[in-house]
Each structure stands twice: as structure tokens, then as C-alpha cells.
């Protein structure tokens, strides 16, 4: 019996030990190979939770037993020595490590050795990237670094997308830098000056100031600079000249001195207005004959012993262009036919714009803070156009044609003042917030109009020759007073009162002309003298719960609105008052240190505008008549968003999936009547019992491969749109309810490698399907195949030469209306040489659309309209360029 018990006990012990192993090793000083007695050895799991701990003995040796199979992160620490981190994979057998050599901090002053950095971390709802873990080329810019980060993409024109969501804010150390154009920051801040890049969803500025969540979220990128990069001078200057007398020049310079930051920028070009002319990644098709010049400046500093922070920026832009355009449109009509429109136009336009932004944040004392913002803008524009179009039926019979000339000048000015005051009360967690805002805008215009329309089905023509003078203004004042209270460490609430008053005028005086004489009598059909006023009052309430793993926020806004509109020219007098409600709920669940789940819900109403309600609106031409519907009712909107993110610190992988859906019940939709003479009459109605809805799903997975030298990404997206509209062909008969359903899905992969030696590449490819359905003519519904690929290759040659090539390909399959597919392919190439010892001067020769294969056809779909357009465009040209990057002290430590 005793032997049997011992045997059973042996089985239990061996069973408990099954699947477990041990590791052993030795920790020594790298300089003299002496053992480091009592060095700490820690094993963390993938959630960064401590699993095992040991210390080195007098010989520097250590041993850890009974370790479960799996992936771990081993940390080795010793006082005044570097911290070593190393991933380990524990399997069935014991693991004997090579000697772990650790550098003293004294040696690290001369030679910094980092065995492993953690490239990505999750901190609450923020994803943080360690910039040093993602290698970029010397003198690279912030946008080059962002392209290396898993889950982020930067388009050729500087638009950032993070985990499938468009980024609306880019901050440098939490502050705007050239706030009127955030792309300036990513194009000019040096990549080697960056310490961390943080990506998170930020509440609206109003919600952050008042403490009341309005459900608005802005995808935000915050760039944290290295401490040594907060002092120095840096910038770049570039000049390009090419065939067809093309030119582009740019200058950027900045001086950072801890709290003080000064930046200037200037650009001039006859190639476009993107600020990216001559960039190899850009399509760089030159549309029309553009000319553009702009200058700007930004200043930020702290005063009064860092109690006052000032940030101000100014920008000026002067631009002009003339262009020619042709388009072909097919309109599906309910009787099973198709109405075709051929159009052409010539346009000339020019304008200049001044933009000023400023912000002053003042810490009055330890309990009071004040934030004042002042923004202003001034714009002047002029334009002229010649246009013509003709409409025919499916048999080719011309129903009408149109010719028109338009000369317009307009000017506008705007300003806004915002004041935010916060007072912390004696009880911890309590505060009072006051928010005041006033925004004013005025515009004036003078429009010379000539239009001639032939209605062949009626055998008549109509000519409009007018001078239209416009004078509009709007002033909006709002205020909020709120009280915030933190009940305890886990619970908080806010309550506030809001007030808003708005009044404005939209005036257009249209005077008929016979070519020589201008009438002094206003044509009321094309004129308006509209005055609108509104007064809104409401109450905000918010309740928040913050637990160890879950954050919940609930807010509600209830408002009473009083609105009126008067138009003395058309004898319109409308007034209404009603209650409105807006509910927001957000939940952030931290599953672990590397996994998070975020969900949000919003409920509000789409309220019909006065423009949709007023019975009769002024015409702009004889082909389109807009009618209002005073019986419109508001439509309820429900929005749902879900986001899941997980990161493996050991593998360096990242997976993100996010989805959203928006549903509008009893939606307000367009109701159009296309009369036999092709005149369109349009109004708005509710579709009772129906729901408009849109949904989207995005997912991406990132993983370093090939010894962590290449970033591999799989991405996919799916969007669906379901909408309704009414349409009728002819003057009589019933309207047909059209249900349009559009589905678009794609999946793709990308590879990105940049180590500034041999071959660098950034390659992506995608395939997709596009489905378009309309209920009125279902035989024209279609599904077509789409695909695309692009690649940026850079080969590093001896003597500091480089060859770079950017290639783009896309394909859109045929449809039942457009029988021919659209294939797009073009190649840009650059040969460059780095000059000077610092490699800061680059001479380049660039060729765009090298094989002259760019396809100048664009297609678009909108409800029952299918369009194909072409315009004046230069695609093939060559440029010689010279670029200088300068840097004085920025990013250099004191001993360098």
C-alpha cells in the first residue's frame, strides 16, 4: 500500500512538472568579464506581468526552474549598469544562455548599447511608438518616420491615416505648430529629433474645455521630441526647374530654444498648390496652368516664469489657375431609359488669403487658468467661366442645350474670439468652467451672369442676363457655465448651462440687363433678402466611472431652440421652437496591458434646415428650381463605433480592427422631378418607415519580418451605404422611391524597409470589389473588380548616388454603363547625389510619367448619376532640383 501511495505521488509530481523547463546563465561586466553578484533577472509574460524572479550568485550565475512553455521578456538589471531586455522562447527542454554582458553607465557615456527596445506600447487609449526602433534615412523628415510606423499611412499629399481613421490633428509636444496647416510640421520636422509618436482619439476642444462629452472624436498624432532636440536651428531649402518652364521653390526654417519656437515657411510654384511639387511620391499631374505663392510664420513661447504660454501663426497665400474640362454624364430615369449629358467648360480664377491664429494660456495662480484664442481671416477671389452642355435621350435626340458665361468677384472676412476660464475649488476634484465664444463672418460679391438655354422639346429659348450683388453676414455668440466634481477616485460628474444666439443675413439683389442697360428693378425670382435668428438654451450633464480596467463616460445634452427666418423679397415668415436631445456613451475596456477594447454610442437628431423648409428659394439658372417643404420632420440618428487593438511586445506585432455604423430613421431625402424639357425641380421629404445607413469595417495587422528589418502589413476595408431618394420623369405621374446600395471591399498587403543601405522599398498592393445597385433600373446594377499597386524603391549606389523610382498602377473594371475599364499606370524616377560631408546638400534629376502613360479619365457615382470627366493636364515633364537640409545643434547632446 505504501509503495502504491509513493508511486501515485511520483506521478502527481511528474505530472505537475510536465511541460515546464528551466533557464540558466551568467551575468558579467562587459568591460572586465567579472561576475555581477546579486544582479536581478526578471521574466515577464506578453502582458508585461512578472512571472519569475532570480538573483545572480557570487559567481554571477543564476537559474530559474519550473517555467511554463511560451514567450517571455527577460530583463537583467544591476545598479549603475544598463538594463538588458531580451525575448526568450521557452520550450520543452532547459535553456542554457550564453554569458550576458552588461555595460556600466560610465561606459555607456562613450558607447551606448541597447540590446532590445520596445517599439510599441499601449498606455490606456494611447498607442505609443518608440521612434528609435524604426530606422529612417539620414536627414529624413517626420512624414518618413510616420510611414514606417505599423498602422499608419501617409498619402503623397500628406494626409495621415491611423488604423483606418483620418488624422485631423498633428501636435508637437502637445502644441499646434503652424496650426493653419498641420502638414507643414510633418514635412519639415526632422525624424532624428523625435523620441515618441503617440496616436489617440481626442475629444473635441469644446468637450475638453467644458468637461461635457459631445461624442466628437478626432484622431490625433502627438510627436514628442527628444530633450536635446528642443534647442537648435534646423530647416531646408529646395529649388526645382524643368521642362515647359516649370519651377517650384520652398524654404522652411525653425529655431527651437526650449520653450521658444520660431518657424517660417515660403513656397512658390507654377506646378500646383499642394506644397509638394517635385516630390517623387506625388502623382504630380499639373492641372491647368496654376501659379501659387505662400508665406507663413509661427511663434511659440512662455513668459512670466512659464505662467503664460503664447502660440501664434500667420499665413498668406496667392494663387491662380485656368483650366479646361470635359465631362460625360448618364442619369438613370424611372421609365427604364437613360438621359445623357455632355459638358465642357473653361475657367479662370485667382485669389489671395490671409490667415491668423493665436492662443494665450495663462495660469493666474495655483487654482485659476485662462485660455484666450483669437483667429481671423481675409479672402479675396475672382473668377470667370465659359460653359456649355447638351442633354439627349437614349435615342440620341437632343432635348436642350445650354451656354453660359460667369464673371464673379467676392471678398470675405472672418474673426473669432474664444475665452475659457477654469477655477479649482477648495474641495479636491471640484472646479467651475466658463466658456465664451463669438464668431463673425461677412462676405460681399458681384456676379455678372449670361445664360442661354434652348428647349427643343418646347421649341423655345430663354436668356438670362443679370448682375447679381451679394451681401451676407453671420454672427454667433455662445456661452457655457459648468461645474465639475470628482466624487472619489473612481467617480466624477459634470453639469452645465449653455446659451447660444445667432443672427445673419443672406442678401442677393439680381438686376436684369438687355446688354446695354441695367434695370433698377430687382428680379425677385433670382433674389433674396433673408434674415435668420436663433436662440438656444440647454443643460449638459456628464457622469464618468474610472475603474482599474474599465472607463465609462455618459453624457446628455438637452436644449430648447427658438428659430425664425424672414425673407422680405418673397414674403416668407417662418418660426419654430422645439426641444432637442443628444446622448453619448463611451466605454474603454483594458483587457490587459497590451489589449484594449473601445466602444461608443451616440443618439441625436438631423434637424431640417430653413433652406429645406422655406417654400421657395431663389434660382441661380433656368435649369434648376429648388423648392422647400415646411412639413419636414426631424430624423433620428444612431451611431455605433467599436475598436479593438492588441500589441505583442515580444513579437513586435500589432492588430487593429475598428468598425462603425450610422443609422438615420425616417431620413430627410431629395425628391427630384426631371421634366420633359430637362428642367429639374427638387425638394425634400421624409421617407417614413425607412432607414438610411452607412457602415464601415477596417482591419490591419503589422509584423516585422526578415530579422525585424522589414515591416509587413495586411490591411482590409469594407464599406456599405444604403440610401433612398425620390425621382420622377415628366410633369405628371407618381414619384418612384429609389433605393441605392453601394458596397466596396478591398484587401491588401504592404512591405516597408528602410535602413539607408542597399535597397530601401515601400511596396503595397490591393484588390477589391465594388457593387452598385439602384432599385429603379436594376438591370443596370453591376459589380466590378478593382485593383491597385504602388511602389517606392530607392537604391543606394557608391559615391553617395541614389536611384529612386515611384510606380503606380490601378484598374477599375467595366460596368454596364461604361463598357471599357480604366487602367492607370505611370512611373516617376529620380537620380540624386548627396554632397558635402554631412550629406545635407542633394542634387537631383527627376522625370515624371516617364512613359507618358497617365490616363486622364476619372469616373464617379452618385445615386442615379454616373459621370466620366477629363481635364487639361500635363503629366510628363522633367525637373532638375537642389535641396539643402541645415541643422545647427538640434538633436545634439552637450558633449557632442
Amino acid at each position: 500500500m505504501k509503495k502504491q501511495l509513493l508511486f501515485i505521488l511520483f506521478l502527481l509530481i511528474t505530472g505537475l512538472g510536465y511541460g515546464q523547463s528551466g533557464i540558466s546563465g551568467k551575468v558579467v561586466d562587459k568591460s572586465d568579464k567579472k561576475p555581477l553578484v546579486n544582479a536581478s533577472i526578471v521574466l515577464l509574460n506578453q502582458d508585461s506581468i512578472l512571472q519569475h524572479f532570480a538573483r545572480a550568485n557570487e559567481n554571477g550565475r543564476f537559474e530559474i526552474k519550473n517555467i511554463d512553455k511560451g514567450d517571455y521578456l527577460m530583463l537583467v538589471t544591476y545598479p549603475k549598469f544598463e538594463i538588458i531586455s531580451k525575448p526568450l522562447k521557452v520550450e520543452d527542454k532547459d535553456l542554457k544562455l550564453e554569458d550576458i554582458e552588461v555595460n556600466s553607465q560610465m561606459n555607456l557615456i562613450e558607447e551606448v548599447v541597447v540590446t532590445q527596445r520596445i517599439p510599441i506600447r499601449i498606455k490606456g487609449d494611447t498607442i505609443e511608438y518608440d521612434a528609435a526602433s524604426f530606422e529612417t534615412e539620414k536627414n529624413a523628415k517626420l512624414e518618413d518616420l510616420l510611414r514606417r510606423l505599423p498602422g499608419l499611412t501617409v498619402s503623397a499629399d500628406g494626409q495621415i491615416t491611423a488604423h483606418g481613421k483620418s488624422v485631423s490633428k498633428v501636435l508637437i509636444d502637445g502644441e499646434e505648430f503652424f496650426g493653419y496647416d498641420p502638414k507643414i510640421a510633418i514635412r519639415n520636422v526632422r525624424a532624428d529629433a523625435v523620441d515618441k509618436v503617440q496616436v489617440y482619439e481626442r475629444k473635441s476642444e469644446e468637450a475638453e474645455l467644458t468637461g461635457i462629452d459631445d461624442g466628437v472624436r478626432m484622431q490625433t498624432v502627438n510627436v514628442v521630441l527628444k530633450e536635446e532636440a528642443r534647442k537648435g536651428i534646423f530647416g531646408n531649402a529646395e529649388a526645382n526647374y524643368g521642362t515647359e518652364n516649370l519651377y517650384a521653390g520652398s524654404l522652411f526654417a525653425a529655431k527651437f530654444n526650449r520653450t521658444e519656437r520660431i518657424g517660417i515657411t515660403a513656397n512658390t510654384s507654377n506646378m500646383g498648390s499642394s506644397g509638394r511639387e517635385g516630390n517623387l511620391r506625388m502623382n504630380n499631374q499639373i492641372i491647368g496652368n496654376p501659379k501659387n505663392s505662400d508665406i507663413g510664420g509661427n511663434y511659440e513661447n512662455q513668459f512670466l516664469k512659464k505662467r503664460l504660454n503664447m502660440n501664434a501663426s500667420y499665413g498668406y497665400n496667392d494663387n491662380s489657375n485656368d483650366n479646361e474640362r470635359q465631362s460625360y454624364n448618364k442619369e438613370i430615369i424611372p421609365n427604364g431609359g437613360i438621359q445623357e449629358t455632355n459638358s465642357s467648360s473653361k475657367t479662370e480664377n485667382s485669389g489671395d488669403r490671409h490667415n491668423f491664429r493665436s492662443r494665450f494660456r495663462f495660469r493666474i495662480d495655483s487654482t485659476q487658468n485662462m485660455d484666450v484664442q483669437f483667429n481671423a481671416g481675409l479672402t479675396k477671389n475672382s473668377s470667370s467661366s465659359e460653359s456649355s452642355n447638351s442633354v439627349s435621350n437614349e435615342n440620341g435626340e437632343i432635348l436642350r442645350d445650354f451656354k453660359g458665361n460667369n464673371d464673379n468677384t467676392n471678398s470675405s472676412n472672418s474673426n473669432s474670439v474664444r475665452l475659457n476660464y477654469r477655477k479649482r475649488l477648495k474641495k479636491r476634484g471640484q472646479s467651475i468652467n466658463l466658456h465664451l465664444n463669438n464668431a463673425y463672418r461677412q462676405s460681399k460679391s458681384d456676379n455678372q451672369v449670361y445664360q442661354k438655354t434652348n428647349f427643343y422639346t418646347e421649341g423655345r429659348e430663354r436668356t438670362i442676363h443679370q448682375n447679381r450683388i451679394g451681401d451676407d453676414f453671420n454672427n454667433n455668440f455662445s456661452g457655457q457655465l459648468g461645474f465639475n466634481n470628482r466624487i472619489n477616485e473612481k467617480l466624477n460628474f459634470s453639469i452645465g448651462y449653455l446659451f447660444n444666439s445667432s443672427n445673419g443675413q443672406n442678401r442677393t439683389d439680381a438686376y436684369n440687363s438687355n446688354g446695354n442697360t441695367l434695370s433698377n428693378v430687382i428680379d425677385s425670382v433670382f433674389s433674396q433678402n433673408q434674415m435668420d435668428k436663433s436662440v438656444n438654451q440647454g443643460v449638459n450633464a456628464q457622469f464618468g466611472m474610472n475603474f482599474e480596467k474599465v472607463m465609462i463616460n455618459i453624457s446628455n445634452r438637452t436644449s430648447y431652440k427658438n428659430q425664425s427666418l424672414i425673407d422680405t423679397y418673397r414674403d416668407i415668415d417662418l418660426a419654430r421652437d422645439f426641444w432637442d436631445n443628444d446622448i453619448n456613451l463611451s466605454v474603454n475596456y483594458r483587457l490587459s496591458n497590451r489589449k484594449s477594447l473601445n466602444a461608443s454610442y451616440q443618439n441625436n437628431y438631423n434637424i431640417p434646415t430653413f433652406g429645406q423648409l422655406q417654400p421657395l428659394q431663389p434660382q441661380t439658372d433656368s435649369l434648376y428650381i429648388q423648392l422647400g417643404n415646411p412639413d419636414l420632420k426631424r430624423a433620428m440618428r444612431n451611431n455605433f463605433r467599436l475598436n479593438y487593438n492588441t500589441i505583442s511586445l515580444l513579437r513586435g506585432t500589432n492588430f487593429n480592427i475598428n468598425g462603425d455604423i450610422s443609422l438615420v430613421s425616417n431620413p430627410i431625402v431629395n425628391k427630384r422631378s426631371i421634366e420633359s424639357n430637362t428642367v429639374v425641380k427638387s425638394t425634400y421629404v421624409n421617407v417614413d418607415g425607412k432607414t438610411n445607413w452607412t457602415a464601415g469595417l477596417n482591419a490591419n495587422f503589422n509584423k516585422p519580418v526578415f530579422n525585424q528589418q522589414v515591416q509587413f502589413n495586411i490591411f482590409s476595408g469594407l464599406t456599405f451605404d444604403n440610401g433612398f431618394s425620390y425621382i420622377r420623369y415628366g410633369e405628371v405621374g407618381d414619384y418612384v422611391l429609389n433605393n441605392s446600395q453601394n458596397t466596396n471591399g478591398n484587401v491588401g498587403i504592404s512591405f516597408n524597409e528602410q535602413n539607408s543601405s542597399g535597397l530601401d522599398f515601400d511596396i503595397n498592393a490591393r484588390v477589391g470589389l465594388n457593387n452598385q445597385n439602384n432599385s429603379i433600373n436594376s438591370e443596370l446594377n453591376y459589380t466590378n473588380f478593382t485593383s491597385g499597386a504602388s511602389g517606392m524603391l530607392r537604391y543606394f549606389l557608391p559615391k553617395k548616388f541614389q536611384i529612386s523610382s515611384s510606380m503606380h498602377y490601378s484598374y477599375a473594371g467595366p460596368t454596364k454603363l461604361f463598357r471599357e475599364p480604366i487602367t492607370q499606370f505611370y512611373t516617376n524616377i529620380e537620380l540624386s547625389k548627396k554632397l558635402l560631408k554631412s550629406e545635407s546638400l542633394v542634387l537631383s534629376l527627376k522625370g515624371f510619367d516617364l512613359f507618358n502613360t497617365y490616363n486622364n479619365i476619372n469616373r464617379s457615382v452618385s445615386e442615379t448619376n454616373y459621370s466620366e470627366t477629363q481635364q487639361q493636364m500635363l503629366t510628363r515633364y522633367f525637373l532638375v532640383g537642389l535641396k539643402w537640409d541645415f541643422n545647427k545643434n538640434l538633436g545634439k547632446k552637450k558633449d557632442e
Side-chain angles (χ1 to χ4, degrees):
M1 182 66 179
K2 188 179 294 185
K3 292 182 179 180
Q4 291 174 331
L5 290 173
L6 290 172
F7 179 71
I8 293 172
L9 182 61
F10 172 77
L11 289 178
L12 289 173
I13 293 173
T14 55
L16 289 171
Y18 181 77
Q20 294 182 326
S21 304
I23 63 171
S24 60
K26 183 178 180 180
V27 183
V28 299
D29 188 333
K30 185 176 182 179
S31 62
D32 56 15
K33 309 304 180 186
K34 290 183 178 181
L36 295 179
V37 182
N38 286 327
S40 299
I41 298 91
V42 175
L43 285 188
L44 305 178
N45 66 7
Q46 292 189 29
D47 293 328
S48 299
I49 297 174
L50 177 66
Q51 298 295 307
H52 298 276
F53 174 82
R55 285 193 181 275
N57 61 20
E58 63 274 9
N59 298 317
R61 298 190 178 278
F62 68 91
E63 185 176 13
I64 302 176
K65 299 180 180 180
N66 300 326
I67 304 174
D68 292 334
K69 290 172 57 178
D71 294 315
Y72 295 88
L73 184 67
M74 181 179 71
L75 300 179
V76 179
T77 63
Y78 192 79
K80 298 184 179 181
F81 277 66
E82 68 169 325
I83 298 175
I84 295 291
S85 64
K86 182 178 181 180
L88 293 178
K89 187 176 183 65
V90 177
E91 298 179 338
D92 292 335
K93 59 182 180 180
D94 290 343
L95 185 62
K96 187 174 182 179
L97 304 176
E98 295 181 359
D99 288 356
I100 301 171
E101 299 179 346
V102 188
N103 242 331
S104 69
Q105 291 180 358
M106 187 66 69
N107 291 335
L108 286 174
I109 295 176
E110 302 296 331
E111 178 186 4
V112 177
V113 178
V114 179
T115 303
Q116 167 108 5
R117 301 181 69 105
I118 300 178
I120 308 174
R121 298 176 185 267
I122 295 181
K123 296 184 176 181
D125 58 355
T126 299
I127 300 175
E128 184 178 88
Y129 299 88
D130 176 67
S133 299
F134 303 91
E135 189 173 3
T136 56
E137 189 180 358
K138 191 173 183 179
N139 295 317
K141 300 299 181 287
L142 176 56
E143 66 174 329
D144 300 309
L145 171 62
L146 296 180
R147 286 192 177 98
R148 291 281 290 152
L149 304 184
L152 272 69
T153 61
V154 183
S155 66
D157 63 354
Q159 180 60 52
I160 306 171
T161 301
H163 307 294
K165 301 176 184 178
S166 179
V167 172
S168 56
K169 281 281 187 182
V170 177
L171 306 176
I172 305 297
D173 285 334
E175 300 288 342
E176 288 188 349
F177 190 59
F178 285 91
Y180 66 89
D181 186 0
K183 295 177 183 177
I184 293 176
I186 71 166
R187 292 170 179 170
N188 294 284
V189 172
R190 295 174 62 91
D192 56 12
V194 178
D195 182 29
K196 309 288 184 185
V197 175
Q198 299 168 338
V199 179
Y200 56 92
E201 280 195 338
R202 183 181 183 182
K203 294 180 181 179
S204 69
E205 189 172 358
E206 182 179 347
E208 289 183 340
L209 293 168
T210 62
I212 307 297
D213 192 354
D214 56 9
V216 177
R217 295 292 184 271
M218 298 182 297
Q219 194 80 339
T220 302
V221 170
N222 180 45
V223 178
V224 181
L225 299 181
K226 298 174 182 176
E227 183 62 33
E228 59 269 21
R230 292 174 179 157
K231 186 175 182 179
I233 298 173
F234 70 99
N236 59 83
E238 183 175 9
N240 292 280
Y241 185 78
T243 56
E244 310 294 332
N245 289 321
L246 298 174
Y247 64 85
S250 64
L251 169 68
F252 174 84
K255 179 183 179 182
F256 285 8
N257 187 13
R258 303 305 179 194
T259 61
E260 183 184 49
R261 295 179 182 177
I262 305 171
I264 59 172
T265 180
N267 298 276
T268 184
S269 169
N270 65 352
M271 298 168 59
S273 59
S274 69
R276 303 293 287 161
E277 290 70 38
N279 183 280
L280 208 63
R281 288 181 179 270
M282 289 288 288
N283 298 349
N284 271 294
Q285 294 84 42
I286 301 174
I287 300 174
N289 296 290
K291 290 184 179 180
N292 183 80
S293 297
D294 62 73
I295 60 173
N298 189 92
Y299 182 78
E300 180 188 349
N301 205 350
Q302 295 180 3
F303 305 94
L304 303 177
K305 297 181 180 179
K306 298 186 178 181
R307 292 171 57 196
L308 175 64
N309 180 284
M310 184 190 81
N311 190 325
S313 62
Y314 166 78
Y316 170 76
N317 175 265
D318 179 80
N319 64 85
S320 65
N321 198 355
D322 59 82
N323 194 17
E324 297 182 10
R325 183 185 182 96
Q326 296 81 38
S327 65
Y328 175 62
N329 175 273
K330 292 184 178 183
E331 168 91 10
I332 300 175
I333 54 181
N335 61 3
I338 296 174
Q339 190 170 273
E340 301 181 0
T341 303
N342 285 282
S343 305
S344 63
S345 64
K346 294 181 179 181
T347 59
E348 296 180 5
N349 59 74
S350 62
D352 59 77
R353 182 177 69 252
H354 301 263
N355 198 319
F356 176 77
R357 294 167 62 95
S358 63
R359 185 174 187 178
F360 303 86
R361 289 177 295 171
F362 181 52
R363 182 170 55 85
I364 302 171
D365 55 36
S366 60
T367 65
Q368 299 180 86
N369 294 278
M370 185 166 62
D371 186 337
V372 179
Q373 300 178 44
F374 175 73
N375 302 323
L378 178 64
T379 303
K380 293 182 180 180
N381 292 304
S382 63
S383 63
S384 63
S385 65
E386 299 178 10
S387 62
S388 63
N389 62 67
S390 63
V391 179
S392 58
N393 59 23
E394 63 270 22
N395 298 320
E397 299 171 333
I398 298 178
L399 306 178
R400 65 114 175 119
D401 61 32
F402 168 90
K403 290 184 178 181
N405 297 320
N406 194 314
D407 294 296
N408 178 270
T409 60
N410 66 77
S411 62
S412 65
N413 65 85
S414 63
N415 62 76
S416 66
V417 180
R418 172 174 290 186
L419 183 146
N420 308 292
Y421 170 79
R422 183 178 183 182
K423 167 69 176 178
R424 288 194 295 271
L425 303 179
K426 290 183 178 180
K427 186 177 179 180
R428 186 181 179 186
Q430 289 187 348
S431 65
I432 293 176
N433 299 302
L434 175 65
H435 167 72
L436 301 174
N437 182 56
N438 192 83
Y440 175 82
R441 180 178 178 83
Q442 183 185 40
S443 65
K444 296 180 181 293
S445 63
D446 190 332
N447 195 5
Q448 304 288 335
V449 178
Y450 176 80
Q451 300 171 349
K452 183 178 180 180
T453 308
N454 292 303
F455 297 96
Y456 294 109
T457 57
E458 299 175 351
R460 69 179 179 92
E461 70 174 35
R462 184 180 183 185
T463 300
I464 298 174
H465 194 180
Q466 291 182 338
N467 181 21
R468 299 172 185 170
I469 300 174
D471 188 357
D472 304 336
F473 80 87
N474 179 266
N475 191 82
N476 184 285
F477 173 79
S478 63
Q480 293 190 46
L481 180 63
F483 171 71
N484 298 338
N485 183 37
R486 187 170 62 184
I487 302 171
N488 53 42
E489 295 297 327
K490 297 181 178 179
L491 304 176
N492 65 83
F493 76 88
S494 302
I495 190 167
Y497 165 78
L498 62 90
F499 174 84
N500 178 274
S501 175
S502 175
N503 67 88
Q505 172 184 284
N506 296 93
R507 180 170 178 172
T508 302
D509 294 340
Y511 300 94
N512 290 314
S513 172
N514 60 10
N516 298 314
T517 306
L518 187 66
S519 172
N520 59 3
V521 179
I522 291 175
D523 187 336
S524 61
V525 176
F526 295 88
S527 304
Q528 68 174 347
N529 186 22
Q530 177 180 303
M531 291 163 284
D532 57 87
K533 295 181 179 181
S534 67
V535 176
N536 306 328
Q537 300 184 73
V539 176
N540 291 325
Q542 178 265 340
F543 181 70
M545 293 169 280
N546 189 354
F547 302 103
E548 182 179 356
K549 290 191 174 184
V550 181
M551 293 178 60
I552 302 174
N553 191 288
I554 306 170
S555 66
N556 184 79
R557 173 179 294 177
T558 301
S559 307
Y560 182 73
K561 301 184 176 182
N562 187 296
Q563 301 174 340
S564 64
L565 180 143
I566 298 173
D567 192 327
T568 58
Y569 287 176
R570 288 170 292 145
D571 195 26
I572 296 175
D573 188 352
L574 299 176
R576 61 179 177 177
D577 55 86
F578 56 92
W579 289 94
D580 190 24
N581 201 68
D582 190 339
I583 300 174
N584 294 280
L585 169 66
S586 64
V587 179
N588 183 352
Y589 180 38
R590 186 169 58 87
L591 301 170
S592 68
N593 289 341
R594 63 186 183 89
K595 298 178 182 179
S596 64
L597 181 67
N598 302 288
S600 65
Y601 165 74
Q602 183 178 19
N603 172 271
N604 57 20
Y605 290 92
N606 288 347
I607 299 171
T609 66
F610 273 125
Q612 296 170 324
L613 292 169
Q614 56 181 309
L616 184 64
Q617 297 186 18
Q619 291 181 234
T620 57
D621 57 48
S622 57
L623 302 176
Y624 185 82
I625 300 173
Q626 179 66 60
L627 303 173
N629 179 4
D631 297 323
L632 275 181
K633 296 173 290 186
R634 57 185 178 177
M636 179 181 289
R637 177 186 294 272
N638 291 284
N639 294 327
F640 301 86
R641 291 195 297 263
L642 189 67
N643 181 80
Y644 172 76
N645 197 85
T646 180
I647 290 175
S648 172
L649 301 179
L650 298 181
R651 298 186 179 94
T653 60
N654 173 38
F655 174 72
N656 175 273
I657 182 169
N658 62 80
D660 61 86
I661 184 170
S662 176
L663 304 100
V664 181
S665 304
N666 303 322
I668 300 171
V669 303
N670 190 246
K671 184 178 181 180
R672 291 185 304 144
S673 173
I674 305 174
E675 300 187 356
S676 56
N677 61 2
T678 73
V679 173
V680 176
K681 290 183 179 180
S682 178
T683 187
Y684 300 93
V685 295
N686 292 97
V687 186
D688 296 331
K690 300 292 185 180
T691 300
N692 279 358
W693 61 283
T694 59
L697 183 67
N698 294 283
N700 61 78
F701 173 76
N702 304 276
K703 180 181 181 179
V705 295
F706 301 118
N707 198 27
Q708 299 191 342
Q709 295 298 310
V710 177
Q711 287 290 335
F712 171 65
N713 179 35
I714 302 176
F715 57 89
S716 62
L718 178 67
T719 60
F720 183 84
D721 181 79
N722 178 82
F724 294 90
S725 62
Y726 283 101
I727 188 170
R728 181 182 70 182
Y729 186 73
E731 291 77 0
V732 295
D734 295 330
Y735 284 88
V736 177
L737 179 63
N738 179 49
N739 178 209
S740 61
Q741 296 181 343
N742 304 325
T743 306
N744 189 288
N746 65 84
V747 62
I749 60 172
S750 68
F751 293 89
N752 185 311
E753 188 268 346
Q754 294 184 38
N755 59 13
S756 303
S757 64
L759 178 67
D760 280 2
F761 55 86
D762 185 357
I763 302 172
N764 69 79
R766 59 171 178 81
V767 295
L769 289 175
N770 178 39
N771 177 261
Q772 304 283 342
N773 289 329
N774 283 283
S775 61
I776 59 173
N777 274 358
S778 57
E779 66 274 10
L780 295 177
N781 295 341
Y782 70 90
T783 299
N784 69 329
F785 174 78
T786 63
S787 64
S790 64
M792 182 71 184
L793 306 177
R794 180 173 296 163
Y795 191 71
F796 295 85
L797 300 170
K799 306 295 183 180
K800 299 181 182 180
F801 279 94
Q802 292 182 21
I803 294 180
S804 303
S805 178
S806 175
M807 294 168 285
H808 300 262
Y809 170 82
S810 65
Y811 172 87
T815 70
K816 292 185 177 179
L817 286 174
F818 297 106
R819 300 293 184 177
E820 296 296 325
I822 292 182
T823 301
Q824 181 65 272
F825 172 74
Y826 60 93
T827 300
N828 304 333
I829 193 166
E830 175 185 11
L831 173 64
S832 64
K833 176 173 174 56
K834 293 183 177 180
L835 308 173
L836 306 181
K837 183 179 179 181
S838 62
E839 302 182 1
S840 58
L841 189 65
V842 180
L843 178 66
S844 63
L845 173 63
K846 305 173 187 177
F848 295 89
D849 191 15
L850 201 62
F851 305 108
N852 201 23
T853 54
Y854 186 85
N855 191 340
N856 185 17
I857 297 177
N858 182 55
R859 287 177 183 166
S860 61
V861 178
S862 175
E863 292 186 339
T864 58
N865 282 285
Y866 299 78
S867 298
E868 189 172 85
T869 61
Q870 287 182 291
Q871 56 187 328
Q872 180 183 340
M873 186 179 294
L874 174 65
T875 64
R876 188 184 188 186
Y877 55 93
F878 298 87
L879 295 174
V880 176
L882 188 65
K883 184 175 183 179
W884 177 43
D885 277 284
F886 54 89
N887 176 25
K888 183 179 180 181
N889 297 328
L890 186 81
K892 296 180 180 179
K893 298 181 180 179
K894 293 182 179 180
D895 57 341
E896 292 183 322

